[in-house]
Amino acid sequence: MTQSSANDIQSTYINHICHSLNLHTSNVRGTINLLDEGATIPFIARYRKEVTGGMDEVQIGSVKDLYTQYKDVETRRQTILKTIDEQGKLTTELKKQIETTWDSTTLEDLYLPYKPKRKTRATKARENGLAPLAEIILKGSSRDLYLEAERYVSDNVATAEEALQGARDIIAELISEDQMSRDMVRLAFKHTAQIHSHVIKGKEEDGNKYSDYFQLEESLSKMPAHRLLAIRRAENEGFIKVRIVPRDNTQALERIERRYTRNIFNESSKHIKTAIRDSYDRLLEPQIETEFSISSKFDADTEAIRVFRDNLRQLLLAAPLGQKKVLALDPGFRTGCKVVCLDKHGALLHHSVIYPHPPKSDIAGSLSTLREFIKRYDIEAIAIGNGTASRETEQVVRQIDPTNSLQIFVVSEDGASIYSASKTAREEFPNEDVTVRGAVSIGRRLMDPLAELVKIDPKSIGVGQYQHDVDQTRLKNALDEVVTSCVNIVGVDVNTASKELLTYISGLGPQLAQNIITYRNENGAFTSRAQLKKVPRLGDKAFEQCAGFLRINGAKNPLDNSAVHPESYPIVEKMAKDLNCNVIDLINNPETRKKIVLRDYITESVGLPTLTDILSELEKPGRDPRQTIEEFHFAEGINTVDDLQPGMVLPGIVTNITAFGAFVDIGVHTDGLVHISEVSDKFIKDINSVLKLHQHVKVTITGIDRIRNRISLSMKNK
């Protein structure tokens, strides 16, 4: 392929992307060039706004996804053209059709007749020399077809009827490979497809949890993603059979018949119609059913992944307590509550075990121990895991300080056990057991959720919906993008960040992250961003991508602890020089900053978006974009499901958000469900527009199913 041809193809990509996303050509072209050069999405979104026209990370991600998709289509197109050409069947018209489509389904339809295939009834009929007979029938010949078929009787074709059957098999396959016929069937599926499921005989008892799907018939287009994934799970586990079929295929069959039998009014018409029906039942419907099964699963995966992405982003960007000395408890009944004391950087100072619950019930001794630790380590806040015995432990802990001057937080411990047994945890605490590591993780989550949660596989954090049923590669890529985005939005202190946190910084990855840690251990804390260039294998490109997201607290240059990129330092220095002051004066003096006229610093490569960001950063260098954490109290006297009564109004914390509703912790060890229809008096299309993870809410008990341990909640004004 010539460079000119490659440029033409890229221009075509860009035109399609601009049309699909309603973006300007120059912005899309610039974004693609940056992506091809290895720039990351966070870097492009933050530091190349002039190039992108101010696109956010979501838009840049959409450009990247479409660009990858179109490149994949182009690669497939070239393979198809080469394969058909090698067969000597690439006509000028076919080549034009293939070269002008960007729809992967259409591309595969065009290729289908030429695609190498396993032996079929039609290929066997062709081997037996019956292709000419099929052609005679398709042309609507007025000959006596039975007599004509007798000419094809041979050692492999016993009778004229067998010859006619073989000819119909060839016609059936030709119809199934015809793009227009396939589109007609697709149209029937698109408008009337229904999903049918029924229980496999003998599986009723074992698959009882899927009883809602033992006999189901529902419109595919109206089926919610979570229900489709549940049905597919039940199918994969062998409890039900599932089919997707159009409610009405009449129009599709009639259109195909008109296409092949128009102006044919003889015996050939009967044979063609028989072949059409056979083609539909044996080939077309099953093939298009497979297409819709795959596409509907893909769409359901997309929705489930979107929900997971939204929840994970909210969880990672949850309000941090900050650098405070924390006492953390991993509650337990018989085995006691593991207690750890952490310094303001999250380092483990001490660990112990208390037994405030049965069978020991040593409340007095437990309180005495906790008070001693609080005094000895100057504890500023307490974190309590929300697992077993959480509520009971919180009630004991709140007896420590009747004045409530000590902040107490209940922290999600989802995934803490995964972390405690991980390689990362073993490397951090080689001499401690899993219970200590788990308690440390709970405390650190309170201090900085993002820094701690990046150490855990996102699927283990407990905010997903059918995460094990969706495409795992797509899920991993999507969640990695979310983690990367969140880490770079917040930025990290290069002198305290873990390897896991540094790994997600733009331009780094596991190896460079480890190299930074090694350099830090061998040479002491970094004193400037420029020093990063001394890290082995951290070249100019990696420095460009990562520098703006790495902070150096206490650096000589105050910009090193800000989101101002080193490439923009000369701009800030010129601003200071023009105002006869230094950079620190610009940061500390609002009146001085007001004198800056941004348009005076516009150049060919630096525009108002970058200058505006610089000025904003000078106002609050290195500011944390996350909100301030708020303490929460469950209702007193409500500890178990048995304490609940319909109509009660209770405080709660949103723990998970799904497409169908939100789960809320009300302090009884079982989260209640607020169905999306009960979230508001107004109609809600997207629950994330109303609720956020860890949001404090008021809920009304509307139903209690003690047998299945389910609680129904409402947020409506009753």
Side-chain angles (χ1 to χ4, degrees):
M1 184 186 297
T2 65
Q3 185 60 46
S4 176
S5 298
N7 290 338
D8 289 343
I9 291 171
Q10 189 183 66
S11 294
T12 306
Y13 295 159
I14 291 170
N15 289 335
H16 278 283
I17 293 170
C18 291
H19 178 73
S20 299
L21 302 178
N22 194 28
L23 295 172
H24 195 278
T25 303
S26 62
N27 297 143
V28 171
R29 186 182 298 279
T31 301
I32 286 175
N33 288 340
L34 286 168
L35 290 168
D36 283 342
E37 291 168 6
T40 67
I41 291 177
F43 175 81
I44 295 171
R46 181 66 177 81
Y47 296 113
R48 292 295 180 264
K49 292 181 179 178
E50 285 80 2
V51 175
T52 67
M55 289 187 211
D56 59 24
E57 288 190 11
V58 174
Q59 291 172 307
I60 296 169
S62 297
V63 170
K64 181 181 179 181
D65 291 344
L66 281 180
Y67 183 45
T68 301
Q69 178 184 321
Y70 287 137
K71 285 196 295 184
D72 290 344
V73 170
E74 180 57 29
T75 300
R76 180 61 174 161
R77 185 202 321 281
Q78 296 305 321
T79 300
I80 289 172
L81 286 169
K82 181 181 178 182
T83 303
I84 299 176
D85 191 38
E86 289 174 349
Q87 296 175 14
K89 299 177 181 179
L90 187 61
T91 64
T92 302
E93 182 182 355
L94 178 59
K95 184 179 180 181
K96 182 178 180 181
Q97 286 180 295
I98 292 173
E99 288 182 336
T100 54
T101 184
W102 287 92
D103 180 78
S104 58
T105 300
T106 301
L107 195 62
E108 294 301 330
D109 279 352
L110 292 170
Y111 178 46
L112 191 57
Y114 311 96
K115 186 176 183 179
K117 54 177 74 73
R118 61 179 176 79
K119 197 164 187 176
T120 64
R121 283 163 50 172
T123 56
K124 182 179 179 182
R126 288 191 181 93
E127 289 170 357
N128 292 335
L130 298 176
L133 179 59
E135 188 175 346
I136 289 170
I137 295 172
L138 276 173
K139 288 182 177 178
S141 173
S142 57
R143 306 177 198 174
D144 185 323
L145 293 180
Y146 191 83
L147 291 177
E148 187 68 26
E150 287 186 331
R151 296 176 52 206
Y152 293 88
V153 173
S154 64
D155 292 342
N156 295 322
V157 182
T159 65
E161 183 51 47
E162 192 174 318
L164 288 169
Q165 179 58 56
R168 290 195 296 269
D169 288 341
I170 293 172
I171 294 170
E173 187 170 273
L174 288 171
I175 291 169
S176 74
E177 293 176 346
D178 172 49
Q179 182 192 349
M180 290 187 67
S181 298
R182 296 176 72 83
D183 281 343
M184 291 170 186
V185 178
R186 284 192 188 102
L187 198 62
F189 271 81
K190 179 180 178 180
H191 292 303
T192 69
Q194 291 188 306
I195 186 164
H196 297 253
S197 64
H198 65 271
V199 65
I200 295 174
K201 189 174 181 181
K203 297 286 187 177
E204 293 86 351
E205 185 174 345
D206 291 342
N208 184 58
K209 64 180 178 179
Y210 298 116
S211 58
D212 289 347
Y213 314 122
F214 281 178
Q215 192 65 44
L216 179 139
E217 182 176 320
E218 187 173 339
S219 170
L220 181 64
S221 63
K222 295 180 180 179
M223 175 166 283
H226 63 272
R227 192 179 306 154
L228 180 65
L229 290 173
I231 288 172
R232 289 303 183 188
R233 178 189 288 181
E235 180 186 34
N236 292 335
E237 292 180 6
F239 296 117
I240 63 174
K241 286 285 188 182
V242 179
R243 286 291 313 275
I244 296 176
V245 293
R247 185 181 68 254
D248 182 7
N249 60 18
T250 306
Q251 284 190 343
L253 286 169
E254 289 176 348
R255 287 173 179 172
I256 296 172
E257 285 182 0
R258 285 198 298 271
R259 175 167 169 74
Y260 284 94
T261 63
R262 182 173 291 148
N263 300 323
I264 299 177
F265 305 103
N266 52 33
E267 187 182 358
S268 293
S269 176
K270 181 185 72 174
H271 287 285
I272 293 172
K273 288 180 180 180
T274 300
I276 288 172
R277 188 73 222 195
D278 174 52
S279 178
Y280 181 87
D281 292 339
R282 183 168 56 86
L283 302 171
L284 275 170
E285 187 180 86
Q287 290 169 6
I288 305 304
E289 178 185 4
T290 299
E291 278 186 21
F292 272 73
S293 177
I294 293 171
S295 64
S296 61
K297 173 63 164 57
F298 182 91
D299 291 343
D301 283 2
T302 300
E303 174 61 15
I305 291 171
R306 183 194 67 79
V307 170
F308 204 149
R309 283 174 59 105
D310 290 347
N311 285 349
L312 180 62
R313 177 175 292 276
Q314 292 174 34
L315 189 63
L316 293 177
L317 294 179
L321 178 67
Q323 293 188 338
K324 292 188 178 182
K325 299 166 188 174
V326 170
L327 182 148
L329 296 102
D330 186 358
F333 285 116
R334 182 182 57 81
T335 56
C337 300
K338 182 63 68 175
V339 183
V340 298
C341 299
L342 309 175
D343 71 13
K344 65 180 182 178
H345 299 296
L348 177 62
L349 301 174
H350 183 75
H351 67 81
S352 184
V353 183
I354 59 174
Y355 298 89
H357 309 306
K360 292 190 176 181
S361 300
D362 183 16
I363 296 178
S366 298
L367 287 171
S368 176
T369 299
L370 292 176
R371 289 189 179 108
E372 178 191 345
F373 290 162
I374 290 168
K375 182 177 181 180
R376 184 194 308 173
Y377 298 107
D378 195 22
I379 296 299
E380 298 171 87
I382 295 178
I384 303 171
N386 70 341
T388 303
S390 172
R391 192 68 201 285
E392 292 80 0
T393 302
E394 181 194 359
Q395 290 172 342
V396 171
V397 170
R398 290 202 179 276
Q399 298 177 44
I400 294 173
D401 182 12
T403 64
N404 293 323
S405 60
L406 193 66
Q407 288 184 297
I408 299 171
F409 300 90
V410 176
V411 179
S412 170
E413 59 181 56
D414 284 329
S417 60
I418 302 294
Y419 161 77
S420 63
S422 69
K423 179 182 177 182
T424 299
R426 292 196 300 273
E427 289 175 349
E428 285 191 282
F429 303 103
N431 300 318
E432 307 297 348
D433 65 24
V434 293
T435 61
V436 173
R437 298 171 192 160
V440 170
S441 182
I442 290 169
R444 287 178 172 178
R445 288 186 191 197
L446 174 62
M447 299 168 73
D448 191 337
L450 178 60
E452 190 63 19
L453 292 174
V454 295
K455 302 174 184 177
I456 305 169
D457 181 351
K459 289 189 297 182
S460 302
I461 297 177
V463 292
Q465 176 187 359
Y466 296 100
Q467 59 261 41
H468 300 294
D469 299 295
V470 303
D471 184 291
Q472 295 301 292
T473 300
R474 287 183 66 202
L475 177 62
K476 183 181 185 307
N477 291 340
L479 299 185
D480 282 347
E481 287 176 4
V482 172
V483 178
T484 298
S485 171
C486 292
V487 170
N488 288 281
I489 284 173
V490 174
V492 304
D493 184 334
V494 70
N495 287 319
T496 60
S498 66
K499 174 187 173 182
E500 290 73 26
L501 196 58
L502 288 170
T503 295
Y504 287 102
I505 285 292
S506 170
L508 294 184
Q511 187 58 60
L512 284 179
Q514 182 58 57
N515 290 355
I516 290 174
I517 297 290
T518 302
Y519 184 91
R520 192 174 73 193
N521 291 339
E522 294 175 352
N523 299 278
F526 288 89
T527 57
S528 72
R529 278 174 170 164
Q531 195 180 353
L532 287 163
K533 295 182 178 180
K534 296 181 180 180
V535 174
R537 300 181 64 181
L538 202 157
D540 291 342
K541 189 65 180 179
F543 179 80
E544 176 196 59
Q545 296 294 305
C546 75
F549 303 105
L550 297 174
R551 311 279 190 267
I552 300 179
N553 191 17
K556 182 177 180 181
N557 187 339
L559 297 179
D560 282 349
N561 194 35
S562 74
V564 177
H565 197 281
E567 67 188 7
S568 296
Y569 286 8
I571 299 172
V572 180
E573 290 162 0
K574 188 174 188 310
M575 289 175 175
K577 183 179 179 182
D578 291 346
L579 293 171
N580 295 315
C581 66
N582 57 37
V583 173
I584 294 178
D585 292 332
L586 281 183
I587 293 173
N588 293 335
N589 195 328
E591 295 304 317
T592 301
R593 288 196 303 272
K594 288 179 181 179
K595 298 176 183 178
I596 298 173
V597 181
L598 293 183
R599 64 175 177 271
D600 292 345
Y601 301 94
I602 294 175
T603 66
E604 288 185 3
S605 58
V606 179
L608 277 177
T610 293
L611 294 171
T612 302
D613 283 348
I614 290 173
L615 192 59
S616 176
E617 190 63 22
L618 291 176
E619 292 175 4
K620 294 181 179 179
R623 66 192 182 282
D624 193 321
R626 295 172 289 183
Q627 295 180 343
T628 303
I629 194 168
E630 295 180 1
E631 196 174 357
F632 174 84
H633 292 264
F634 288 114
E636 293 185 9
I638 305 297
N639 303 314
T640 70
V641 174
D642 291 335
D643 296 325
L644 300 178
Q645 294 294 332
M648 282 183 171
V649 178
L650 302 172
I653 300 177
V654 178
T655 58
N656 198 3
I657 299 175
T658 71
F660 55 83
F663 288 93
V664 177
D665 182 1
I666 55 175
V668 295
H669 304 296
T670 298
D671 289 356
L673 173 64
V674 182
H675 190 270
I676 190 170
S677 62
E678 291 293 327
V679 171
S680 172
D681 293 307
K682 299 178 181 178
F683 172 75
I684 295 175
K685 184 177 181 181
D686 180 8
I687 194 170
N688 283 286
S689 65
V690 179
L691 290 178
K692 301 298 179 186
L693 214 59
H694 291 173
Q695 181 176 334
H696 299 176
V697 296
K698 287 283 187 181
V699 293
T700 302
I701 309 296
T702 59
I704 307 163
D705 185 339
R706 290 185 169 83
I707 296 177
R708 294 192 292 179
N709 202 30
R710 293 181 180 179
I711 306 168
S712 299
L713 307 173
S714 175
M715 291 176 57
K716 288 183 176 180
N717 294 319
K718 299 298 182 180

